[in-house]
Amino acid sequence: MNYAIVDIGSNTIRLIIFEIYKNQERNIFDKKYTAGLISYVENGALSTKGIKKLIRTLESIKRIVDLIGNCSFNPFATASLRNLSNRDEVLREVKEKLDIDIDVLSQKEEALMGNVGIFEDFNIDKGLTIDIGGASTEIVSFKKNNASEFLNLQIGSLLLFSQYVSLVIPKKKEIDIIQKKVLKEISSKNFKNTYNTLIGIGGTVRACGKVISELYGKDEKCFSLNELDNLLLNIKNKDKETIRTIIKVNPSRIHTLVPGLIILFTVCKYLHIEDIQVSNKGVREGYLHLRVLEGN
């Protein structure tokens, strides 16, 4: 049997179909939908247009899963729906229109599932992780099978783009404003860090690694704070090679990559992080193991 995991994010909705063979999962299908749900949030509630966009996207995904056949359907959401004031209404409409139940993860559940994915990718039993989403950023200090401390920042790559960026790539003044916003958010929290290395989960950190690798010939799965600093400085100075590389490496993230990069750099500098490692696995793999496979 195959397992369809649907990750409903603030910017994108992703369908990944896993095949389980000899207790190992294999990604056999991966498709991303840019729904931009956060752009439909008004006064904390998802608008009618936003609900319709969510339903249309899930309907398309469900058709693909049904065509593949012999596949369970497992949609979940994190901050994209968790923080909505009309969350219950949204879930009810999706259920009525599509007969789909969306599993909305708590902040702690999201942190634990992210850790499971990381343990598959790294041979470690403790550390610090970051997951930069469209509407929020999760920072987790973890030990084996347990999130010892976690921090939710109400800032995300798409949210900051929508609020502060006038064109596509932020101007120098806009970058400075975003940095101050991120610094204000994290400095308001009582979060103590004892690690020099940060493990990044999700598309934003992976995209940063790919851009740095392309520009500096580095391993895309490991880069430093200094390299992030140089990258951000080049963006501020409108360096053509840097801008072209960002567009070439991940054109679908042109508008959100730089705000996400600013979040990553500012958090790392504040927490005295020297190195960033990139995980190819995270919440989706954790959800598959903890909620779907162990739940059956």
Side-chain angles (χ1 to χ4, degrees):
M1 184 173 182
N2 298 325
Y3 301 88
I5 304 297
V6 183
D7 181 356
I8 302 170
S10 300
N11 185 28
T12 62
I13 299 177
R14 194 156 205 144
L15 164 66
I16 300 181
I17 297 179
F18 293 98
E19 176 187 65
I20 306 298
Y21 180 70
K22 292 184 178 179
N23 295 322
Q24 295 291 322
E25 82 266 4
R26 184 167 70 96
N27 183 336
I28 62 172
F29 186 87
D30 190 334
K31 184 172 176 60
K32 181 173 69 174
Y33 299 77
T34 303
L37 294 182
I38 193 173
S39 62
Y40 296 97
V41 175
E42 301 169 358
N43 299 318
L46 189 63
S47 68
T48 301
K49 286 185 178 180
I51 296 173
K52 288 181 179 178
K53 184 69 173 287
L54 172 62
I55 289 173
R56 285 199 304 271
T57 306
L58 288 176
E59 190 174 28
S60 298
I61 291 172
K62 191 68 165 63
R63 279 200 296 268
I64 291 174
V65 175
D66 289 341
L67 283 171
I68 292 173
N70 192 31
C71 193
S72 69
F73 189 75
N74 308 278
F76 74 89
T78 50
S80 58
L81 301 188
R82 182 172 65 222
N83 297 335
L84 295 176
S85 59
N86 63 335
R87 178 182 64 185
D88 292 343
E89 176 192 343
V90 173
L91 296 177
R92 186 170 56 250
E93 286 208 37
V94 171
K95 176 67 174 177
E96 290 175 354
K97 296 286 175 56
L98 302 176
D99 194 26
I100 289 174
D101 293 303
I102 298 174
D103 187 5
V104 181
L105 303 183
S106 69
Q107 185 180 353
K108 186 173 183 179
E109 287 173 329
E110 180 182 357
L112 290 172
M113 290 175 187
N115 287 352
V116 171
I118 285 170
F119 292 138
E120 289 193 2
D121 223 12
F122 295 91
N123 185 26
I124 54 175
D125 57 9
K126 60 182 179 179
L128 189 72
T129 67
I130 188 168
D131 188 354
I132 302 170
S136 68
T137 296
E138 309 287 338
I139 301 172
V140 180
S141 178
F142 68 89
K143 295 180 181 178
K144 193 71 173 179
N145 296 325
N146 182 40
S148 57
E149 187 178 4
F150 52 89
L151 174 63
N152 176 263
L153 304 179
Q154 297 300 312
I155 47 173
S157 57
L158 184 57
L159 183 63
L160 292 176
F161 171 80
S162 301
Q163 291 178 338
Y164 300 111
V165 182
S166 55
L167 297 174
V168 179
I169 302 293
K171 303 173 185 175
K172 184 179 183 301
K173 184 178 180 180
E174 293 169 341
I175 290 175
D176 292 338
I177 290 172
I178 293 172
Q179 280 187 288
K180 288 178 181 177
K181 172 68 176 176
V182 177
L183 185 59
K184 182 179 179 181
E185 177 74 11
I186 190 169
S187 61
S188 68
K189 312 293 185 180
N190 183 25
F191 188 84
K192 296 179 181 179
N193 172 47
T194 59
Y195 299 102
N196 294 323
T197 299
L198 179 69
I199 298 174
I201 304 170
T204 294
V205 180
R206 283 196 294 270
C208 287
K210 288 177 180 177
V211 171
I212 288 172
S213 175
E214 187 78 15
L215 285 171
Y216 309 131
K218 300 283 291 187
D219 181 356
E220 65 183 46
K221 291 207 66 173
C222 185
F223 52 93
S224 69
L225 177 63
N226 287 336
E227 287 161 346
L228 276 179
D229 194 3
N230 289 336
L231 178 57
L232 191 55
L233 182 62
N234 286 341
I235 293 169
K236 283 184 177 182
N237 293 332
K238 299 181 180 178
D239 179 74
K240 288 184 179 179
E241 183 184 2
T242 300
I243 302 302
R244 286 171 178 166
T245 300
I246 289 172
I247 295 171
K248 179 176 70 173
V249 166
N250 204 324
S252 66
R253 287 186 180 270
I254 293 173
H255 60 308
T256 60
L257 192 149
V258 178
L261 163 64
I262 298 169
I263 294 172
L264 181 61
F265 172 76
T266 308
V267 167
C268 287
K269 190 172 182 181
Y270 182 81
L271 295 179
H272 305 291
I273 297 293
E274 297 175 1
D275 297 294
I276 300 92
Q277 292 183 318
V278 182
S279 174
N280 287 325
K281 296 184 179 181
V283 178
R284 296 160 195 152
E285 287 79 8
Y287 189 86
L288 171 67
H289 285 275
L290 289 183
R291 192 74 105 219
V292 179
L293 296 180
E294 290 187 12
N296 289 340

